[in-house]
Amino acid sequence: MTQCCFLRVHPLSFWFWSFHRRMALALCLQVLCSLGGWLSLYISFCRLNKHRSYEWSCRLVTFTHGVLSIGLSAYIGFIDGPWPFTHPGSPNTPLQVHVLCLTLGYFIFDLGWCIYFQSEGALMLAHHTLSILGIIMALVLGESGTEVNAVLFGSEITNPLLQMRWFLRETGHYHSFTGDVVDFLFVALFTGVRIGVGSRLLFCEMVSSKPRWFVKVGGVAMYVVSWCFMFSIWRFAWRKSIKKYHAWRSRRSEERQLRHNGHLKMH
């Protein structure tokens, strides 16, 4: 009797095992295709910009990924759903899986590039590592893609501005009105979205009973990294504001002196 029950259950168990195996292979194939695509785009940029540095081409890839991921994650969060503030821990949708695989391939490429060229510090490497682990976790579990996608949107919304700032500096146009606008938008978006909206998202994640405990721990870790970035950004914004203020005071003093001297000469 026991053997008969085992024989009846065994084919079903084997089918589930085979299904999950095929799903895992499909996910790995998507990630590998994404990695190959980003690497190919990087090589193409290197060939088109032979007179530029390798970092120039890498940042073009980063800019492209930022714009693409913002558009896709915004569509998922605001239109396709589900809403991350009310449905954390929900099962992944097919579109979420595709976007996460696309982004996972990029982060693997960028982390490898940063390690090889030693271009970033420990904080950025920690951010990339946590992003990779978080995306893998959501893909393996088959859930929590909703909030991971929201974190992706919040993390990437300032990325194009960060790359524009670097390109302006490289081309000698950073110290201009355009550079000031880019810096202001970067600081405002980072503070408002990544810290402000991110705090609300983390609260919804923590009070919900659906997400796994280790998913919540990952959310806290990413939030801490965001605050570390925030402190550095605020220090930069403060120094730049003080520098601008002193420059303005110096110009006002020179203008008053010129007006005073001109008035004396007229008399």
Side-chain angles (χ1 to χ4, degrees):
M1 182 69 179
T2 305
Q3 291 180 349
C4 293
C5 291
F6 175 76
L7 290 175
R8 284 198 299 270
V9 174
H10 179 70
L12 186 60
S13 301
F14 177 79
W15 183 85
F16 276 114
W17 176 82
S18 178
F19 173 76
H20 286 297
R21 185 166 176 265
R22 290 197 299 270
M23 287 293 294
L25 288 174
L27 290 175
C28 290
L29 183 60
Q30 287 188 64
V31 174
L32 287 175
C33 289
S34 171
L35 177 60
W38 295 116
L39 185 59
S40 299
L41 183 62
Y42 170 70
I43 294 173
S44 300
F45 281 143
C46 287
R47 291 180 176 177
L48 290 173
N49 300 277
K50 293 180 179 179
H51 60 292
R52 298 289 186 179
S53 64
Y54 290 128
E55 186 173 3
W56 179 281
S57 298
C58 183
R59 287 185 178 270
L60 283 175
V61 174
T62 301
F63 181 86
T64 304
H65 170 263
V67 173
L68 185 62
S69 61
I70 289 169
L72 291 173
S73 59
Y75 176 82
I76 291 174
F78 294 106
I79 299 176
D80 191 62
W83 188 238
F85 296 96
T86 55
H87 295 82
S90 301
N92 299 341
T93 65
L95 183 57
Q96 287 174 355
V97 171
H98 293 321
V99 173
L100 291 179
C101 288
L102 178 70
T103 301
L104 180 57
Y106 162 75
F107 275 120
I108 293 173
F109 157 77
D110 200 48
L111 179 62
W113 194 95
C114 292
I115 293 174
Y116 181 80
F117 287 97
Q118 299 180 352
S119 61
E120 298 292 343
L123 187 59
M124 183 61 73
L125 296 180
H127 170 268
H128 277 36
T129 303
L130 286 173
S131 298
I132 290 172
L133 293 177
I135 294 173
I136 291 175
M137 184 168 54
L139 291 174
V140 171
L141 293 174
E143 61 187 43
S144 291
T146 303
E147 56 265 39
V148 172
N149 176 81
V151 172
L152 174 64
F153 174 79
S155 300
E156 294 297 322
I157 194 170
T158 54
N159 202 311
L161 292 170
L162 184 64
Q163 307 314 316
M164 288 174 61
R165 181 176 181 272
W166 187 88
F167 286 125
L168 286 171
R169 187 181 293 277
E170 285 294 301
T171 54
H173 296 90
Y174 175 69
H175 299 288
S176 62
F177 177 74
T178 303
D180 292 339
V181 171
V182 169
D183 279 343
F184 174 79
L185 291 176
F186 175 75
V187 175
L189 280 175
F190 198 103
T191 305
V193 177
R194 197 156 176 172
I195 300 300
V197 180
S199 299
R200 177 62 181 174
L201 179 64
L202 181 64
F203 173 79
C204 295
E205 178 84 2
M206 298 302 290
V207 299
S208 176
S209 59
K210 287 185 178 180
R212 311 288 183 95
W213 67 269
F214 45 85
V215 175
K216 296 182 179 182
V217 170
V220 172
M222 284 295 292
Y223 187 70
V224 171
V225 169
S226 294
W227 267 106
C228 292
F229 281 126
M230 189 74 264
F231 286 134
S232 299
I233 291 170
W234 280 345
R235 283 199 302 267
F236 155 77
W238 175 256
R239 288 196 301 266
K240 182 169 183 177
S241 299
I242 293 298
K243 188 177 179 180
K244 289 283 185 181
Y245 174 73
H246 286 311
W248 175 78
R249 288 286 302 271
S250 178
R251 286 196 302 270
R252 286 291 301 273
S253 177
E254 291 176 359
E255 289 173 0
R256 282 200 215 97
Q257 188 174 3
L258 286 173
R259 283 199 299 267
H260 181 68
N261 292 340
H263 180 72
L264 289 177
K265 289 179 181 179
M266 289 178 64
H267 285 278

mmCIF file of all heavy atoms in Angstrom, residues 182-227:
data_model
loop_
_atom_site.group_PDB
_atom_site.id
_atom_site.type_symbol
_atom_site.label_atom_id
_atom_site.label_comp_id
_atom_site.label_asym_id
_atom_site.label_seq_id
_atom_site.Cartn_x
_atom_site.Cartn_y
_atom_site.Cartn_z
ATOM 1 N N VAL A 182 21.665 70.566 -12.512
ATOM 2 C CA VAL A 182 21.815 69.121 -12.367
ATOM 3 C C VAL A 182 22.081 68.750 -10.915
ATOM 4 O O VAL A 182 21.485 67.811 -10.372
ATOM 5 C CB VAL A 182 22.948 68.609 -13.281
ATOM 6 C CG1 VAL A 182 23.312 67.157 -12.940
ATOM 7 C CG2 VAL A 182 22.536 68.711 -14.742
ATOM 8 N N ASP A 183 22.953 69.491 -10.254
ATOM 9 C CA ASP A 183 23.248 69.215 -8.847
ATOM 10 C C ASP A 183 22.013 69.406 -7.967
ATOM 11 O O ASP A 183 21.740 68.597 -7.067
ATOM 12 C CB ASP A 183 24.376 70.125 -8.354
ATOM 13 C CG ASP A 183 25.746 69.607 -8.747
ATOM 14 O OD1 ASP A 183 25.861 68.424 -9.109
ATOM 15 O OD2 ASP A 183 26.718 70.388 -8.689
ATOM 16 N N PHE A 184 21.267 70.491 -8.206
ATOM 17 C CA PHE A 184 20.069 70.743 -7.403
ATOM 18 C C PHE A 184 19.038 69.632 -7.576
ATOM 19 O O PHE A 184 18.467 69.131 -6.593
ATOM 20 C CB PHE A 184 19.460 72.089 -7.797
ATOM 21 C CG PHE A 184 18.142 72.356 -7.131
ATOM 22 C CD1 PHE A 184 18.093 72.792 -5.816
ATOM 23 C CD2 PHE A 184 16.950 72.165 -7.819
ATOM 24 C CE1 PHE A 184 16.878 73.027 -5.187
ATOM 25 C CE2 PHE A 184 15.733 72.397 -7.198
ATOM 26 C CZ PHE A 184 15.686 72.832 -5.885
ATOM 27 N N LEU A 185 18.781 69.245 -8.824
ATOM 28 C CA LEU A 185 17.813 68.176 -9.082
ATOM 29 C C LEU A 185 18.266 66.859 -8.477
ATOM 30 O O LEU A 185 17.453 66.092 -7.934
ATOM 31 C CB LEU A 185 17.591 68.018 -10.586
ATOM 32 C CG LEU A 185 16.868 69.162 -11.290
ATOM 33 C CD1 LEU A 185 16.813 68.914 -12.793
ATOM 34 C CD2 LEU A 185 15.459 69.344 -10.731
ATOM 35 N N PHE A 186 19.572 66.583 -8.554
ATOM 36 C CA PHE A 186 20.102 65.342 -7.983
ATOM 37 C C PHE A 186 19.881 65.290 -6.470
ATOM 38 O O PHE A 186 19.375 64.295 -5.940
ATOM 39 C CB PHE A 186 21.584 65.222 -8.307
ATOM 40 C CG PHE A 186 22.238 64.027 -7.667
ATOM 41 C CD1 PHE A 186 22.031 62.754 -8.164
ATOM 42 C CD2 PHE A 186 23.061 64.181 -6.555
ATOM 43 C CE1 PHE A 186 22.619 61.652 -7.570
ATOM 44 C CE2 PHE A 186 23.659 63.095 -5.960
ATOM 45 C CZ PHE A 186 23.442 61.822 -6.462
ATOM 46 N N VAL A 187 20.247 66.356 -5.778
ATOM 47 C CA VAL A 187 20.087 66.388 -4.320
ATOM 48 C C VAL A 187 18.613 66.341 -3.933
ATOM 49 O O VAL A 187 18.219 65.618 -3.001
ATOM 50 C CB VAL A 187 20.762 67.642 -3.733
ATOM 51 C CG1 VAL A 187 20.498 67.744 -2.231
ATOM 52 C CG2 VAL A 187 22.263 67.619 -3.994
ATOM 53 N N ALA A 188 17.770 67.090 -4.655
ATOM 54 C CA ALA A 188 16.339 67.135 -4.334
ATOM 55 C C ALA A 188 15.684 65.776 -4.561
ATOM 56 O O ALA A 188 14.907 65.299 -3.708
ATOM 57 C CB ALA A 188 15.655 68.202 -5.183
ATOM 58 N N LEU A 189 15.980 65.122 -5.688
ATOM 59 C CA LEU A 189 15.380 63.823 -5.977
ATOM 60 C C LEU A 189 15.886 62.750 -5.018
ATOM 61 O O LEU A 189 15.117 61.903 -4.565
ATOM 62 C CB LEU A 189 15.672 63.417 -7.421
ATOM 63 C CG LEU A 189 14.783 64.046 -8.497
ATOM 64 C CD1 LEU A 189 15.268 63.646 -9.883
ATOM 65 C CD2 LEU A 189 13.336 63.629 -8.311
ATOM 66 N N PHE A 190 17.176 62.785 -4.717
ATOM 67 C CA PHE A 190 17.730 61.782 -3.808
ATOM 68 C C PHE A 190 17.083 61.914 -2.430
ATOM 69 O O PHE A 190 16.684 60.914 -1.818
ATOM 70 C CB PHE A 190 19.245 61.945 -3.694
ATOM 71 C CG PHE A 190 19.940 60.739 -3.149
ATOM 72 C CD1 PHE A 190 20.629 59.877 -3.987
ATOM 73 C CD2 PHE A 190 19.909 60.445 -1.794
ATOM 74 C CE1 PHE A 190 21.273 58.752 -3.489
ATOM 75 C CE2 PHE A 190 20.541 59.330 -1.287
ATOM 76 C CZ PHE A 190 21.226 58.479 -2.130
ATOM 77 N N THR A 191 16.977 63.149 -1.940
ATOM 78 C CA THR A 191 16.383 63.364 -0.622
ATOM 79 C C THR A 191 14.899 63.015 -0.611
ATOM 80 O O THR A 191 14.418 62.335 0.303
ATOM 81 C CB THR A 191 16.582 64.821 -0.190
ATOM 82 O OG1 THR A 191 17.975 65.154 -0.247
ATOM 83 C CG2 THR A 191 16.064 65.043 1.217
ATOM 84 N N GLY A 192 14.174 63.482 -1.625
ATOM 85 C CA GLY A 192 12.727 63.284 -1.640
ATOM 86 C C GLY A 192 12.297 61.862 -1.939
ATOM 87 O O GLY A 192 11.397 61.329 -1.282
ATOM 88 N N VAL A 193 12.945 61.240 -2.934
ATOM 89 C CA VAL A 193 12.508 59.912 -3.376
ATOM 90 C C VAL A 193 13.222 58.801 -2.609
ATOM 91 O O VAL A 193 12.579 57.950 -1.996
ATOM 92 C CB VAL A 193 12.730 59.750 -4.897
ATOM 93 C CG1 VAL A 193 12.335 58.339 -5.337
ATOM 94 C CG2 VAL A 193 11.923 60.776 -5.658
ATOM 95 N N ARG A 194 14.549 58.837 -2.648
ATOM 96 C CA ARG A 194 15.287 57.716 -2.068
ATOM 97 C C ARG A 194 15.207 57.685 -0.540
ATOM 98 O O ARG A 194 15.182 56.612 0.053
ATOM 99 C CB ARG A 194 16.742 57.781 -2.513
ATOM 100 C CG ARG A 194 17.488 56.484 -2.324
ATOM 101 C CD ARG A 194 18.654 56.418 -3.269
ATOM 102 N NE ARG A 194 19.461 55.247 -3.089
ATOM 103 C CZ ARG A 194 20.460 54.885 -3.887
ATOM 104 N NH1 ARG A 194 20.755 55.652 -4.928
ATOM 105 N NH2 ARG A 194 21.154 53.802 -3.672
ATOM 106 N N ILE A 195 15.170 58.845 0.094
ATOM 107 C CA ILE A 195 15.071 58.897 1.546
ATOM 108 C C ILE A 195 13.622 59.064 1.991
ATOM 109 O O ILE A 195 13.129 58.301 2.833
ATOM 110 C CB ILE A 195 15.937 60.033 2.109
ATOM 111 C CG1 ILE A 195 17.409 59.815 1.729
ATOM 112 C CG2 ILE A 195 15.789 60.110 3.622
ATOM 113 C CD1 ILE A 195 18.008 58.526 2.240
ATOM 114 N N GLY A 196 12.920 60.047 1.437
ATOM 115 C CA GLY A 196 11.544 60.306 1.848
ATOM 116 C C GLY A 196 10.590 59.171 1.503
ATOM 117 O O GLY A 196 10.005 58.527 2.384
ATOM 118 N N VAL A 197 10.444 58.899 0.199
ATOM 119 C CA VAL A 197 9.559 57.814 -0.245
ATOM 120 C C VAL A 197 10.112 56.461 0.195
ATOM 121 O O VAL A 197 9.352 55.537 0.537
ATOM 122 C CB VAL A 197 9.376 57.867 -1.774
ATOM 123 C CG1 VAL A 197 8.465 56.741 -2.246
ATOM 124 C CG2 VAL A 197 8.808 59.210 -2.205
ATOM 125 N N GLY A 198 11.444 56.332 0.207
ATOM 126 C CA GLY A 198 12.057 55.079 0.650
ATOM 127 C C GLY A 198 11.732 54.753 2.093
ATOM 128 O O GLY A 198 11.556 53.577 2.453
ATOM 129 N N SER A 199 11.647 55.772 2.946
ATOM 130 C CA SER A 199 11.279 55.545 4.345
ATOM 131 C C SER A 199 9.855 54.994 4.444
ATOM 132 O O SER A 199 9.583 54.070 5.230
ATOM 133 C CB SER A 199 11.380 56.848 5.130
ATOM 134 O OG SER A 199 12.699 57.349 5.114
ATOM 135 N N ARG A 200 8.959 55.549 3.663
ATOM 136 C CA ARG A 200 7.576 55.061 3.655
ATOM 137 C C ARG A 200 7.503 53.626 3.148
ATOM 138 O O ARG A 200 6.775 52.790 3.705
ATOM 139 C CB ARG A 200 6.725 55.983 2.786
ATOM 140 C CG ARG A 200 5.275 55.551 2.627
ATOM 141 C CD ARG A 200 4.546 55.534 3.956
ATOM 142 N NE ARG A 200 3.167 55.095 3.798
ATOM 143 C CZ ARG A 200 2.344 54.871 4.816
ATOM 144 N NH1 ARG A 200 2.765 55.057 6.064
ATOM 145 N NH2 ARG A 200 1.103 54.476 4.613
ATOM 146 N N LEU A 201 8.245 53.311 2.105
ATOM 147 C CA LEU A 201 8.244 51.955 1.560
ATOM 148 C C LEU A 201 8.795 50.955 2.573
ATOM 149 O O LEU A 201 8.254 49.860 2.736
ATOM 150 C CB LEU A 201 9.068 51.917 0.273
ATOM 151 C CG LEU A 201 9.175 50.550 -0.417
ATOM 152 C CD1 LEU A 201 7.803 50.082 -0.880
ATOM 153 C CD2 LEU A 201 10.136 50.623 -1.603
ATOM 154 N N LEU A 202 9.875 51.337 3.260
ATOM 155 C CA LEU A 202 10.446 50.445 4.266
ATOM 156 C C LEU A 202 9.461 50.207 5.411
ATOM 157 O O LEU A 202 9.346 49.079 5.914
ATOM 158 C CB LEU A 202 11.748 51.032 4.805
ATOM 159 C CG LEU A 202 12.469 50.189 5.858
ATOM 160 C CD1 LEU A 202 12.920 48.851 5.270
ATOM 161 C CD2 LEU A 202 13.665 50.941 6.425
ATOM 162 N N PHE A 203 8.738 51.250 5.811
ATOM 163 C CA PHE A 203 7.739 51.098 6.864
ATOM 164 C C PHE A 203 6.653 50.104 6.446
ATOM 165 O O PHE A 203 6.266 49.217 7.225
ATOM 166 C CB PHE A 203 7.116 52.457 7.198
ATOM 167 C CG PHE A 203 5.964 52.385 8.162
ATOM 168 C CD1 PHE A 203 6.202 52.239 9.516
ATOM 169 C CD2 PHE A 203 4.655 52.461 7.707
ATOM 170 C CE1 PHE A 203 5.142 52.160 10.411
ATOM 171 C CE2 PHE A 203 3.596 52.377 8.587
ATOM 172 C CZ PHE A 203 3.830 52.227 9.946
ATOM 173 N N CYS A 204 6.160 50.248 5.219
ATOM 174 C CA CYS A 204 5.134 49.323 4.717
ATOM 175 C C CYS A 204 5.665 47.897 4.646
ATOM 176 O O CYS A 204 4.928 46.929 4.920
ATOM 177 C CB CYS A 204 4.649 49.779 3.343
ATOM 178 S SG CYS A 204 3.796 51.369 3.345
ATOM 179 N N GLU A 205 6.926 47.761 4.291
ATOM 180 C CA GLU A 205 7.546 46.441 4.223
ATOM 181 C C GLU A 205 7.650 45.806 5.608
ATOM 182 O O GLU A 205 7.380 44.612 5.784
ATOM 183 C CB GLU A 205 8.943 46.574 3.606
ATOM 184 C CG GLU A 205 9.732 45.292 3.516
ATOM 185 C CD GLU A 205 9.409 44.477 2.282
ATOM 186 O OE1 GLU A 205 8.588 44.940 1.462
ATOM 187 O OE2 GLU A 205 9.966 43.391 2.137
ATOM 188 N N MET A 206 8.025 46.597 6.600
ATOM 189 C CA MET A 206 8.252 46.058 7.936
ATOM 190 C C MET A 206 6.943 45.681 8.639
ATOM 191 O O MET A 206 6.900 44.704 9.397
ATOM 192 C CB MET A 206 9.025 47.075 8.787
ATOM 193 C CG MET A 206 10.412 47.419 8.246
ATOM 194 S SD MET A 206 11.491 45.990 8.062
ATOM 195 C CE MET A 206 11.801 45.585 9.774
ATOM 196 N N VAL A 207 5.879 46.451 8.440
ATOM 197 C CA VAL A 207 4.616 46.169 9.136
ATOM 198 C C VAL A 207 3.801 45.085 8.446
ATOM 199 O O VAL A 207 2.885 44.515 9.052
ATOM 200 C CB VAL A 207 3.766 47.452 9.268
ATOM 201 C CG1 VAL A 207 4.515 48.507 10.072
ATOM 202 C CG2 VAL A 207 3.351 47.996 7.912
ATOM 203 N N SER A 208 4.124 44.772 7.196
ATOM 204 C CA SER A 208 3.388 43.731 6.479
ATOM 205 C C SER A 208 3.854 42.349 6.930
ATOM 206 O O SER A 208 5.026 42.134 7.224
ATOM 207 C CB SER A 208 3.590 43.889 4.971
ATOM 208 O OG SER A 208 2.956 42.832 4.271
ATOM 209 N N SER A 209 2.931 41.419 6.955
ATOM 210 C CA SER A 209 3.256 40.053 7.361
ATOM 211 C C SER A 209 3.645 39.158 6.191
ATOM 212 O O SER A 209 4.104 38.031 6.394
ATOM 213 C CB SER A 209 2.056 39.423 8.080
ATOM 214 O OG SER A 209 0.916 39.401 7.221
ATOM 215 N N LYS A 210 3.510 39.649 4.959
ATOM 216 C CA LYS A 210 3.772 38.809 3.786
ATOM 217 C C LYS A 210 5.256 38.618 3.481
ATOM 218 O O LYS A 210 5.694 37.495 3.246
ATOM 219 C CB LYS A 210 3.060 39.396 2.565
ATOM 220 C CG LYS A 210 1.554 39.211 2.588
ATOM 221 C CD LYS A 210 0.937 39.702 1.283
ATOM 222 C CE LYS A 210 -0.574 39.476 1.292
ATOM 223 N NZ LYS A 210 -1.186 39.948 0.017
ATOM 224 N N PRO A 211 6.065 39.673 3.445
ATOM 225 C CA PRO A 211 7.476 39.471 3.067
ATOM 226 C C PRO A 211 8.216 38.603 4.084
ATOM 227 O O PRO A 211 7.945 38.637 5.285
ATOM 228 C CB PRO A 211 8.044 40.902 3.036
ATOM 229 C CG PRO A 211 6.864 41.790 2.906
ATOM 230 C CD PRO A 211 5.763 41.103 3.632
ATOM 231 N N ARG A 212 9.176 37.802 3.592
ATOM 232 C CA ARG A 212 10.009 36.984 4.474
ATOM 233 C C ARG A 212 10.895 37.892 5.330
ATOM 234 O O ARG A 212 11.196 39.014 4.951
ATOM 235 C CB ARG A 212 10.884 36.041 3.649
ATOM 236 C CG ARG A 212 10.167 35.243 2.570
ATOM 237 C CD ARG A 212 9.301 34.158 3.146
ATOM 238 N NE ARG A 212 8.685 33.377 2.086
ATOM 239 C CZ ARG A 212 9.199 32.233 1.606
ATOM 240 N NH1 ARG A 212 10.351 31.775 2.100
ATOM 241 N NH2 ARG A 212 8.569 31.562 0.654
ATOM 242 N N TRP A 213 11.330 37.349 6.474
ATOM 243 C CA TRP A 213 12.131 38.159 7.394
ATOM 244 C C TRP A 213 13.453 38.588 6.769
ATOM 245 O O TRP A 213 13.918 39.710 6.996
ATOM 246 C CB TRP A 213 12.376 37.400 8.693
ATOM 247 C CG TRP A 213 13.249 36.179 8.547
ATOM 248 C CD1 TRP A 213 12.848 34.909 8.302
ATOM 249 C CD2 TRP A 213 14.674 36.150 8.639
ATOM 250 N NE1 TRP A 213 13.928 34.065 8.216
ATOM 251 C CE2 TRP A 213 15.065 34.799 8.433
ATOM 252 C CE3 TRP A 213 15.653 37.109 8.874
ATOM 253 C CZ2 TRP A 213 16.400 34.398 8.435
ATOM 254 C CZ3 TRP A 213 16.979 36.709 8.886
ATOM 255 C CH2 TRP A 213 17.350 35.377 8.673
ATOM 256 N N PHE A 214 14.069 37.709 5.952
ATOM 257 C CA PHE A 214 15.349 38.081 5.354
ATOM 258 C C PHE A 214 15.181 39.090 4.230
ATOM 259 O O PHE A 214 16.116 39.818 3.897
ATOM 260 C CB PHE A 214 16.116 36.845 4.872
ATOM 261 C CG PHE A 214 15.298 35.840 4.121
ATOM 262 C CD1 PHE A 214 15.080 35.972 2.768
ATOM 263 C CD2 PHE A 214 14.748 34.745 4.781
ATOM 264 C CE1 PHE A 214 14.333 35.045 2.063
ATOM 265 C CE2 PHE A 214 14.001 33.800 4.080
ATOM 266 C CZ PHE A 214 13.782 33.954 2.724
ATOM 267 N N VAL A 215 13.987 39.142 3.627
ATOM 268 C CA VAL A 215 13.702 40.196 2.654
ATOM 269 C C VAL A 215 13.653 41.549 3.368
ATOM 270 O O VAL A 215 14.175 42.553 2.868
ATOM 271 C CB VAL A 215 12.384 39.918 1.924
ATOM 272 C CG1 VAL A 215 12.026 41.082 0.991
ATOM 273 C CG2 VAL A 215 12.475 38.627 1.115
ATOM 274 N N LYS A 216 13.056 41.566 4.550
ATOM 275 C CA LYS A 216 13.003 42.794 5.339
ATOM 276 C C LYS A 216 14.400 43.233 5.775
ATOM 277 O O LYS A 216 14.716 44.424 5.765
ATOM 278 C CB LYS A 216 12.115 42.588 6.557
ATOM 279 C CG LYS A 216 10.652 42.321 6.218
ATOM 280 C CD LYS A 216 9.817 42.166 7.466
ATOM 281 C CE LYS A 216 8.348 41.929 7.108
ATOM 282 N NZ LYS A 216 7.503 41.821 8.314
ATOM 283 N N VAL A 217 15.243 42.264 6.142
ATOM 284 C CA VAL A 217 16.618 42.596 6.522
ATOM 285 C C VAL A 217 17.358 43.218 5.344
ATOM 286 O O VAL A 217 18.099 44.199 5.493
ATOM 287 C CB VAL A 217 17.359 41.334 7.021
ATOM 288 C CG1 VAL A 217 18.848 41.603 7.199
ATOM 289 C CG2 VAL A 217 16.756 40.855 8.336
ATOM 290 N N GLY A 218 17.143 42.666 4.149
ATOM 291 C CA GLY A 218 17.755 43.242 2.950
ATOM 292 C C GLY A 218 17.275 44.659 2.687
ATOM 293 O O GLY A 218 18.059 45.524 2.281
ATOM 294 N N GLY A 219 15.983 44.918 2.944
ATOM 295 C CA GLY A 219 15.454 46.265 2.775
ATOM 296 C C GLY A 219 16.084 47.255 3.735
ATOM 297 O O GLY A 219 16.404 48.386 3.360
ATOM 298 N N VAL A 220 16.284 46.819 4.982
ATOM 299 C CA VAL A 220 16.939 47.680 5.970
ATOM 300 C C VAL A 220 18.377 47.976 5.550
ATOM 301 O O VAL A 220 18.863 49.109 5.667
ATOM 302 C CB VAL A 220 16.898 47.033 7.363
ATOM 303 C CG1 VAL A 220 17.747 47.820 8.358
ATOM 304 C CG2 VAL A 220 15.459 46.933 7.862
ATOM 305 N N ALA A 221 19.074 46.951 5.040
ATOM 306 C CA ALA A 221 20.466 47.133 4.615
ATOM 307 C C ALA A 221 20.564 48.151 3.477
ATOM 308 O O ALA A 221 21.433 49.039 3.488
ATOM 309 C CB ALA A 221 21.061 45.793 4.187
ATOM 310 N N MET A 222 19.668 48.061 2.495
ATOM 311 C CA MET A 222 19.675 49.026 1.399
ATOM 312 C C MET A 222 19.333 50.425 1.889
ATOM 313 O O MET A 222 19.888 51.424 1.401
ATOM 314 C CB MET A 222 18.675 48.594 0.326
ATOM 315 C CG MET A 222 19.149 47.446 -0.540
ATOM 316 S SD MET A 222 20.586 47.875 -1.551
ATOM 317 C CE MET A 222 19.871 49.062 -2.683
ATOM 318 N N TYR A 223 18.456 50.515 2.856
ATOM 319 C CA TYR A 223 18.079 51.814 3.421
ATOM 320 C C TYR A 223 19.261 52.452 4.134
ATOM 321 O O TYR A 223 19.490 53.664 4.024
ATOM 322 C CB TYR A 223 16.904 51.628 4.371
ATOM 323 C CG TYR A 223 16.317 52.910 4.899
ATOM 324 C CD1 TYR A 223 15.614 53.762 4.066
ATOM 325 C CD2 TYR A 223 16.454 53.256 6.242
ATOM 326 C CE1 TYR A 223 15.061 54.945 4.545
ATOM 327 C CE2 TYR A 223 15.908 54.433 6.727
ATOM 328 C CZ TYR A 223 15.207 55.277 5.884
ATOM 329 O OH TYR A 223 14.683 56.444 6.367
ATOM 330 N N VAL A 224 20.037 51.647 4.867
ATOM 331 C CA VAL A 224 21.232 52.154 5.547
ATOM 332 C C VAL A 224 22.249 52.660 4.532
ATOM 333 O O VAL A 224 22.864 53.729 4.718
ATOM 334 C CB VAL A 224 21.846 51.065 6.446
ATOM 335 C CG1 VAL A 224 23.210 51.504 6.980
ATOM 336 C CG2 VAL A 224 20.911 50.738 7.607
ATOM 337 N N VAL A 225 22.432 51.919 3.436
ATOM 338 C CA VAL A 225 23.355 52.358 2.384
ATOM 339 C C VAL A 225 22.891 53.686 1.790
ATOM 340 O O VAL A 225 23.709 54.578 1.514
ATOM 341 C CB VAL A 225 23.472 51.271 1.296
ATOM 342 C CG1 VAL A 225 24.215 51.807 0.069
ATOM 343 C CG2 VAL A 225 24.196 50.044 1.832
ATOM 344 N N SER A 226 21.594 53.836 1.600
ATOM 345 C CA SER A 226 21.058 55.094 1.061
ATOM 346 C C SER A 226 21.372 56.260 1.991
ATOM 347 O O SER A 226 21.721 57.359 1.534
ATOM 348 C CB SER A 226 19.545 54.980 0.862
ATOM 349 O OG SER A 226 19.231 54.045 -0.145
ATOM 350 N N TRP A 227 21.274 56.037 3.303
ATOM 351 C CA TRP A 227 21.587 57.105 4.243
ATOM 352 C C TRP A 227 23.073 57.440 4.232
ATOM 353 O O TRP A 227 23.454 58.604 4.400
ATOM 354 C CB TRP A 227 21.141 56.716 5.655
ATOM 355 C CG TRP A 227 19.765 57.206 5.969
ATOM 356 C CD1 TRP A 227 18.628 56.455 6.041
ATOM 357 C CD2 TRP A 227 19.370 58.552 6.223
ATOM 358 N NE1 TRP A 227 17.547 57.254 6.330
ATOM 359 C CE2 TRP A 227 17.976 58.550 6.455
ATOM 360 C CE3 TRP A 227 20.045 59.764 6.280
ATOM 361 C CZ2 TRP A 227 17.251 59.708 6.731
ATOM 362 C CZ3 TRP A 227 19.330 60.928 6.554
ATOM 363 C CH2 TRP A 227 17.964 60.893 6.781
#
